Amino acid sequence: GRRPLMLAGTAGMMVFLILVTALDASFSDNWDAHRGASWFTAVCIWLYVGCFGFSWGPTSWCVIAEIFPLSLRGPGVALSASSNWVSECPIARFYTELIAPLR
């Protein structure tokens, strides 16, 4: 039952990321002159987040809970969740410094 959900979320995320990329490539030099394109880009980003939120986001946590046997499920999910947060924390903290040379 997860496969159709994941495929729908993947298709939605792909469409909205392609639209964001095309709009950014076309109008990033002057967003002020293209208000409609800038708002449409923002809406596409919101819809991308929505597609992730109903498909890949929660499903990954179900898979994590199911890979552990019942006797180890609590500690296994706790370790998985904590390793996820610990690995994402430096990315969130240093993201702007990491992309600064690319700009």
Side-chain angles (χ1 to χ4, degrees):
R2 289 190 200 118
R3 184 175 168 86
L5 180 71
M6 301 290 277
L7 290 174
T10 300
M13 290 190 301
M14 182 181 71
V15 166
F16 294 122
L17 280 181
I18 289 171
L19 286 171
V20 167
T21 302
L23 290 164
D24 185 55
S26 300
F27 303 113
S28 65
D29 57 344
N30 192 1
W31 285 115
D32 291 331
H34 303 94
R35 289 267 191 216
S38 63
W39 277 105
F40 186 65
T41 303
V43 168
C44 286
I45 292 169
W46 295 330
L47 291 172
Y48 168 84
V49 171
C51 288
F52 179 82
F54 81 79
S55 63
W56 283 91
T59 306
S60 63
W61 293 104
C62 294
V63 172
I64 288 172
E66 291 172 352
I67 62 173
F68 293 103
L70 284 175
S71 61
L72 298 174
R73 186 161 294 167
V77 171
L79 181 63
S80 299
S82 63
S83 66
N84 182 25
W85 282 97
V86 167
S87 63
E88 287 178 8
C89 184
I91 295 170
R93 168 59 184 91
F94 297 111
Y95 177 74
T96 54
E97 287 87 356
L98 292 172
I99 66 165
L102 301 176
R103 291 184 175 215

